[in-house]
Amino acid sequence: MSHCQYCHAKRFEYEPPGFCCNSGAIRLTYHKMPPELSELYFGKTEESENFRTYIRMYNNMFAFTLLGVKYDKELARRNCGIYTFRVQGQTYHFIDDLIPSNEKPRNLQLYFYDHDNELANRMACSTRINESIMKKLMDILKVNPYTVFLKSLLNVPQLSDFSIALKCHSPLDQQTYNLPSSSEVAALWLEENSTDIYAPYIRIYTHSNGTRLVHYYYGCYDPLQYPLLFPFSENGWHCGIQKIIQTNKVTKHRAYCEHEQLRSISNICSVNGFFDMEDESLQKEKRKRDTVSCREYYCYKFQIRDNETNEVIHCGRIFQQFIVDVYIKLETQRLDSFSFNPNLFRIKVLQGLLDILRFGEREASKIENKMFLPITFIG
């Protein structure tokens, strides 16, 4: 098996070059786990076996968000054939109020509501879980920044007078190993100053009888839902992660764009010629993105490297759920990209409108508004 010359990832035969790290343009740190959690994942004791068998249940009990998904329960049964996590449609991550409306806490409410009986509240969720494992996990996640923040709210008097917000992503550089602190993942405002809370935050209420959606493009999307994969709440993918600038390639590309000249529109004699010029313009305007895309991010993260201990990809059933969640995130991001960037496909749209006009249709209300997808999108 060959290795990438840039990031040293193991490569399968016929795997295209640059698939793992975009030929050295991407460099990210890997996530680390505390030794106690690694022992539960990879140990050979009865506790470790119980933990691995019911890992999705344990993760859901400590998750800060609620996973909304329609999955095949028959395939996900632990005692019927090979374990498979298959979903249909979209997945959603929701975040609840701090105080439950029905006196039965769940998700982040378990960190805040009825703190003195936290263990009993968690054990009441299922009869299959092990109490000693629950105690270990509670102790492991004490250092989680979201846990620290939520438990600190217990000491805030008149909490309803404050606005609570989680930051969509922390400003830490993912090219170097940094652990976020509680002040970097959440914030607290007085209600009278709540106008200072702007878009990069997720508002949390003490009791509003509703839930808030955590969007897939938030950096907190992964650590909020998978605390047993990211116990230190390291950010996942979000917009704005920079690539490593490769000077020689950038200079060559800029020189090409500066010396190329487009055809003059005065020389166009037909509609087809106009479309050809439009196509040529699009090709000239293309630039290689200087930020890491969702696909590139997880392609890098899911590689096997001899010089790294990437424990996340060896976490069994919870990793299967996570990778399905990531794939849906990737497809959602691609669809959003096609929807929000119609200029990339404006030639086909204009061609369709001209075809309609050629057929004699003159009523604009009868012309449907469609979203065009490229042939590379397989759904």
Side-chain angles (χ1 to χ4, degrees):
M1 180 176 286
S2 61
H3 293 72
C4 173
Q5 61 175 321
Y6 300 100
C7 69
H8 309 292
K10 294 183 178 181
R11 296 177 55 195
F12 292 101
E13 189 176 7
Y14 306 119
E15 183 177 310
F19 177 77
C20 51
C21 65
N22 199 4
S23 300
I26 300 173
R27 183 177 62 206
L28 303 168
T29 59
Y30 61 94
H31 301 294
K32 296 181 180 180
M33 288 189 181
E36 299 83 1
L37 186 57
S38 296
E39 178 62 27
L40 288 174
Y41 273 117
F42 310 112
K44 298 181 180 180
T45 62
E46 291 185 5
E47 280 190 352
S48 299
E49 184 176 349
N50 177 275
F51 176 76
R52 289 190 294 268
T53 301
Y54 300 105
I55 177 61
R56 289 185 57 240
M57 187 179 300
Y58 283 111
N59 183 80
N60 290 338
M61 289 183 184
F62 286 93
F64 300 93
T65 53
L66 175 67
L67 179 64
V69 62
K70 181 180 180 181
Y71 68 98
D72 193 324
K73 295 183 179 180
E74 291 297 324
L75 286 177
R77 291 185 185 276
R78 290 168 293 277
N79 56 357
C80 183
I82 299 175
Y83 176 84
T84 305
F85 186 80
R86 185 176 70 178
V87 306
Q88 180 181 3
Q90 181 64 282
T91 59
Y92 301 94
H93 293 187
F94 299 100
I95 197 161
D96 290 314
D97 296 334
L98 286 177
I99 300 176
S101 57
N102 58 358
E103 299 299 325
K104 188 176 181 180
R106 64 180 185 181
N107 301 113
L108 89 164
Q109 297 167 350
L110 291 167
Y111 292 91
F112 173 80
Y113 180 76
D114 195 12
H115 174 67
D116 295 334
N117 299 311
E118 180 181 353
L119 178 60
N121 291 332
R122 294 188 184 278
M123 292 299 299
C125 296
S126 175
T127 58
R128 299 177 181 178
I129 56 179
N130 185 293
E131 183 174 349
S132 63
I133 295 177
M134 293 297 293
K135 290 180 179 179
K136 285 184 179 180
L137 294 177
M138 290 172 61
D139 188 61
I140 290 170
L141 293 177
K142 281 182 179 179
V143 298
N144 186 292
Y146 292 109
T147 303
V148 174
F149 175 76
L150 290 172
K151 291 186 180 297
S152 69
L153 298 179
L154 296 169
N155 302 320
V156 178
Q158 301 297 325
L159 186 60
S160 58
D161 295 337
F162 290 83
S163 295
I164 308 163
L166 301 182
K167 297 182 181 179
C168 294
H169 56 266
S170 67
L172 298 179
D173 183 9
Q174 295 200 37
Q175 295 182 4
T176 57
Y177 186 70
N178 293 303
L179 293 180
S181 62
S182 59
S183 61
E184 291 172 326
V185 301
L188 196 65
W189 280 271
L190 278 172
E191 189 65 35
E192 60 186 16
N193 297 326
S194 61
T195 54
D196 297 335
I197 303 178
Y198 49 93
Y201 291 90
I202 306 170
R203 288 288 298 269
I204 301 179
Y205 299 88
T206 52
H207 41 74
S208 66
N209 296 323
T211 59
R212 265 69 54 199
L213 178 65
V214 180
H215 295 288
Y216 72 89
Y217 47 82
Y218 290 167
C220 62
Y221 187 85
D222 293 343
L224 284 175
Q225 181 59 43
Y226 300 98
L228 297 188
L229 290 180
F230 311 103
F232 300 115
S233 296
E234 302 97 323
N235 267 348
W237 174 81
H238 60 84
C239 300
I241 301 176
Q242 295 294 318
K243 290 183 179 179
I244 299 174
I245 298 177
Q246 298 173 315
T247 309
N248 56 339
K249 293 185 178 181
V250 173
T251 304
K252 181 179 179 181
H253 183 72
R254 286 179 178 173
Y256 170 81
C257 294
E258 290 174 355
H259 291 86
E260 285 288 341
Q261 294 183 354
L262 300 178
R263 290 186 294 168
S264 173
I265 194 171
S266 60
N267 297 327
I268 305 301
C269 302
S270 65
V271 174
N272 290 333
F274 174 75
F275 283 127
D276 291 339
M277 190 196 72
E278 279 281 286
D279 188 30
E280 186 179 350
S281 300
L282 283 177
Q283 297 300 324
K284 296 296 185 295
E285 291 173 0
K286 283 184 178 179
R287 298 288 189 275
K288 288 188 176 181
R289 67 167 74 232
D290 57 357
T291 57
V292 180
S293 69
C294 185
R295 184 194 67 81
E296 292 170 333
Y297 181 90
Y298 290 105
C299 280
Y300 187 95
K301 287 288 187 178
F302 293 158
Q303 299 297 325
I304 300 174
R305 299 177 177 86
D306 292 332
N307 59 340
E308 290 183 359
T309 306
N310 192 357
E311 296 173 311
V312 172
I313 63 177
H314 301 290
C315 291
R317 293 170 178 173
I318 189 61
F319 178 67
Q320 292 183 30
Q321 175 182 322
F322 175 58
I323 203 169
V324 170
D325 202 353
V326 165
Y327 182 80
I328 295 175
K329 178 198 294 191
L330 172 59
E331 293 296 280
T332 304
Q333 190 263 342
R334 292 182 66 195
L335 285 173
D336 283 351
S337 177
F338 299 144
S339 176
F340 297 148
N341 296 279
N343 289 337
L344 296 177
F345 312 102
R346 65 179 183 267
I347 296 173
K348 293 183 179 180
V349 174
L350 291 175
Q351 182 65 59
L353 291 175
L354 289 178
D355 290 340
I356 293 173
L357 293 175
R358 291 192 188 102
F359 291 141
E361 182 60 63
R362 294 294 185 269
E363 187 65 34
S365 61
K366 296 182 180 180
I367 301 176
E368 296 182 2
N369 183 18
K370 297 181 179 180
M371 184 178 73
F372 289 85
L373 298 176
I375 59 175
T376 55
F377 184 80
I378 60 176

